[in-house]
Amino acid sequence: MTERSLVLIKPDGVQRLLVGRVIARFEDRGLKLVGLKLLHVSRELAERHYAIHRDRPFFAGLVAFITSSPLVAMAVEGPNAIGVVRSMVGATRPWEAVPGTIRGDFALEVAQNLIHASDGPETADSELSLWFPEGTLEYAREIDRWALAPEG
Ligand code: IDP
Ligand code: MG
């Protein structure tokens, strides 16, 4: 099933010069980039994005962190993209993330765990409309006849 997922490379990823390497992992896997931008997030957008965590003790710090410096927002598409991306990202607590995952290779601390990815179809839909209100793109890639099964 073709899905779309929101991925954020958080400010620590931009500051640590890891943007290209993280995007390359998704490209290498075969996922299609259908939205991509660098932005300095407003407090309002950060609070809406993390609204589910509003009552958690780390909420204020999380919003402060995500708004402290630019981040990269992207939309990726592919078969089972939501679960595939989550498995590539690894566990929330990087010390529990398996080596080979993005957090397992690049992170040590939960507050600076480098990346966000949608955790299910409903969150993916709402996060994509929050971060890409202008919509995402549709286009064909020549490689897809080698990487993806034909439609139908
Ligand atoms: P996820 O990013 O793997 O989906 P969530 O549980 O949705 O993890 O938490 C959202 C984000 O909040 C995490 O990625 C992390 O940056 C931050 N966070 C989660 N738990 C803690 C904590 O105990 N201390 C500080 N930050 C946390
Ligand atoms: Mg989450």
Side-chain angles (χ1 to χ4, degrees), residues 130-143:
L130 185 64
W131 289 86
F132 289 93
E134 68 278 24
T136 52
L137 303 186
E138 286 188 29
Y139 63 99
R141 298 187 308 185
E142 289 301 318
I143 63 148

Side-chain angles (χ1 to χ4, degrees), residues 4-10 18-36 72-90 100-103 106 113-118 139 141 143-144 147-148:
R4 288 181 173 205
S5 183
L6 174 81
V7 175
L8 304 177
I9 304 174
K10 297 181 188 179
L18 293 173
V19 169
R21 290 163 79 186
V22 171
I23 294 176
R25 289 188 175 222
F26 297 115
E27 286 190 320
D28 286 350
R29 189 71 189 265
L31 291 161
K32 185 195 285 186
L33 273 173
V34 292
L36 181 65
V72 170
M74 61 183 154
V76 297
E77 180 187 285
N80 308 298
I82 296 167
V84 166
V85 169
R86 285 291 286 195
S87 69
M88 292 173 71
V89 164
T101 63
I102 293 165
R103 287 167 174 163
F106 294 122
N113 63 5
L114 214 89
I115 188 159
H116 166 87
S118 304
Y139 63 99
R141 298 187 308 185
I143 63 148
D144 284 342
L148 300 180

